[in-house]
Amino acid sequence: MSKTYLVGGAVRDLIMGKEPSDLDYVVVGSSPEEMLEKGFEKVGADFPVFLHPETKDEYALARTERKVGNGYNGFETFFSKDVTIEEDLKRRDTTMNSIAKDIDTGEIIDPYNGVSDIKNKLIRHVSEHFKEDPLRVLRVARFAARFEGFKVAEETMELMKEMYDNGETKHLTKERIWKEFSRAIVVPEGSKFFQVLQNVGLGKDIFPLINGFMNDRNLDFILPRIHVSIMDESLKNADLKERVARWSIPTFSKADMEVVNMWNNLSAPKEVTDHVSNSCSIWNRFISDFSSLKDISKADFKLYKIIKDHDGFRRPERFIEAYSTVKNHLTMLSGNPKCIPEKEVILEWIKIATPTKEDIAKTISNIDKKDIAESINKLKEKKWKSIKNELTSKPRLKMF
């Protein structure tokens, strides 16, 4: 007779007092034929996973695994009616994910002391089989970021260092790294993902610029060393693009493309790398143009140049998105910098300074084609210089 257990993250979340986001089940003592007879739909190609006919939750037959190759996919799967729930749980990564709950009796099956580790806020590997899958290093780093106050057990950290030293982590694909990173960086303590990988040794290979920034205790006075908890707090409401850009900005002394290439090497989406490039470039300009500015009356034209050089008049929404990232980072560092207006103000300035079609037509009506671009730029500068007069009746848009 078969038995069904709720397993993995769902049981972990219930023990933590959280609502599970996904429900995964393991069925012991059954076969593919029996599952199909009960109306389940087979979806697993490499091993038998089925969808419940009504709830569409995943039900997998209990199985064991044997290492036969390198990396995440280098496993041979074995399943039969004789595989026990304890054997199935042993193949999992951490003790917190190796707990099962009998759906009939409610009994908790915890052969590897996962409940105790959850109470003690420890992330611990289940067995030596952990080192057979390099992806588990990234998962442990993500768990450390996701679960507040949790620490990686010393023996697990040592095992991950051994995996790095033995070259097992070289088999991680860039797609899997990005997938784990993109999930880890959007949680409240995303910095712990970098910290764990830094301690393992893997950080310098995957995120060389960020790893270097976190190690550097002699940064330029313009960018004092940021306590990671401050960075985490300031990113609390940020989306993925801003988080990636904000972790990239502290590397501003490097060439922009070096930062972008780091993310391209991990197959980051183009919209993310574009945002990183724009944000870092705008950051560099603010630092170089405003940090040494002695005459505040010149600040408005320097801002005009930043907007123009970053295509802000033609694509204002794109510019404002990157500008907001830079402003948020500067606010984190210095409170509320007076030389950085709100994005709504910048949008209004751009609107006022953008020539109308009529303005452009009048400007280019009697000039050579080769002079059109320069003439339009001069028109924009003229309109920008007129902004101060336009804003005298709009206190909220006061310029510097």
Side-chain angles (χ1 to χ4, degrees), residues 306-318:
I306 291 174
I307 296 172
K308 174 180 172 294
D309 292 346
H310 292 86
D311 207 15
F313 291 104
R314 192 174 69 90
R315 302 176 67 183
E317 293 80 10
R318 177 174 174 267

Side-chain angles (χ1 to χ4, degrees), residues 14 20 88 101 124 130 152 176 187 229 247 354 391:
L14 288 172
D88 182 274
K101 181 178 181 180
R124 191 194 311 274
F130 178 94
V152 181
R176 297 299 302 189
V187 300
S229 63
W247 278 106
T354 300
L391 300 181

Side-chain angles (χ1 to χ4, degrees), residues 270-290:
K270 188 175 185 302
E271 63 175 10
V272 172
T273 56
D274 283 349
H275 185 67
V276 169
S277 179
N278 290 333
S279 299
C280 287
S281 180
I282 293 172
W283 167 267
N284 288 348
R285 287 291 297 276
F286 267 105
I287 293 301
S288 62
D289 291 1
F290 286 93

Side-chain angles (χ1 to χ4, degrees), residues 31 72 375:
S31 67
Y72 172 71
S375 297

Side-chain angles (χ1 to χ4, degrees), residues 336-395:
N336 186 22
K338 293 181 179 179
C339 66
I340 309 296
E342 296 296 331
K343 65 180 182 181
E344 293 81 7
V345 175
I346 296 292
L347 275 173
E348 186 70 18
W349 292 352
I350 291 175
K351 180 180 177 182
I352 293 172
T354 300
T356 64
K357 291 181 179 179
E358 290 75 15
D359 291 332
I360 294 174
K362 185 177 179 180
T363 299
I364 67 175
S365 59
N366 296 311
I367 62 174
D368 292 336
K369 288 184 178 180
K370 64 182 178 61
D371 298 323
I372 288 178
E374 183 180 354
S375 297
I376 292 176
N377 283 333
K378 288 181 178 179
L379 176 61
K380 288 179 181 177
E381 290 182 17
K382 182 178 178 181
K383 288 183 73 66
W384 182 267
K385 290 175 182 177
S386 72
I387 288 180
K388 286 183 177 179
N389 297 328
E390 297 250 9
L391 300 181
T392 53
S393 61
K394 301 179 181 180

Side-chain angles (χ1 to χ4, degrees), residues 166-355:
N166 291 342
E168 183 64 28
T169 54
K170 291 181 179 179
H171 300 293
L172 286 166
T173 65
K174 57 186 180 180
E175 292 80 11
R176 297 299 302 189
I177 293 172
W178 173 257
K179 183 176 180 180
E180 290 297 321
F181 165 78
S182 62
R183 295 174 69 185
I185 201 63
V186 295
V187 300
E189 295 184 306
S191 63
K192 286 188 175 180
F193 182 80
F194 295 119
Q195 289 177 308
V196 170
L197 296 184
Q198 183 184 43
N199 291 337
V200 170
L202 188 57
K204 63 181 181 292
D205 297 339
I206 301 178
F207 309 105
L209 298 181
I210 295 175
N211 191 78
F213 146 66
M214 295 183 73
N215 274 326
D216 191 350
R217 297 182 181 275
N218 297 299
L219 295 175
D220 190 284
F221 72 94
I222 294 172
L223 184 66
R225 184 169 172 80
I226 303 168
H227 194 285
V228 290
S229 63
I230 298 176
M231 178 75 100
D232 285 333
E233 178 63 24
S234 73
L235 289 171
K236 188 164 55 175
N237 298 315
D239 61 13
L240 175 63
K241 286 195 297 185
E242 178 171 343
R243 288 171 186 264
V244 176
R246 293 276 302 279
W247 278 106
S248 302
I249 282 175
T251 69
F252 77 95
S253 60
K254 302 291 184 181
D256 290 345
M257 285 311 299
E258 192 174 350
V259 179
V260 173
N261 287 339
M262 180 177 71
W263 298 113
N264 280 331
N265 289 339
L266 297 178
S267 293
K270 188 175 185 302
E271 63 175 10
V272 172
T273 56
D274 283 349
H275 185 67
V276 169
S277 179
N278 290 333
S279 299
C280 287
S281 180
I282 293 172
W283 167 267
N284 288 348
R285 287 291 297 276
F286 267 105
I287 293 301
S288 62
D289 291 1
F290 286 93
S291 62
S292 59
L293 185 65
K294 295 179 180 179
D295 185 356
I296 193 66
S297 66
K298 297 181 179 179
D300 58 322
F301 192 68
K302 284 188 176 291
L303 180 57
Y304 163 80
K305 289 287 288 180
I306 291 174
I307 296 172
K308 174 180 172 294
D309 292 346
H310 292 86
D311 207 15
F313 291 104
R314 192 174 69 90
R315 302 176 67 183
E317 293 80 10
R318 177 174 174 267
F319 174 82
I320 287 298
E321 188 176 35
Y323 173 86
S324 297
T325 292
V326 170
K327 185 180 188 303
N328 290 340
H329 202 72
L330 280 168
T331 299
M332 176 191 71
L333 292 175
S334 56
N336 186 22
K338 293 181 179 179
C339 66
I340 309 296
E342 296 296 331
K343 65 180 182 181
E344 293 81 7
V345 175
I346 296 292
L347 275 173
E348 186 70 18
W349 292 352
I350 291 175
K351 180 180 177 182
I352 293 172
T354 300

Side-chain angles (χ1 to χ4, degrees), residues 14-39:
L14 288 172
I15 292 171
M16 290 181 175
K18 301 177 180 180
E19 187 70 25
S21 55
D22 296 302
L23 300 179
D24 294 317
Y25 299 88
V26 164
V27 181
V28 175
S30 188
S31 67
E33 294 75 19
E34 290 177 1
M35 297 294 287
L36 293 173
E37 288 176 5
K38 293 178 180 179

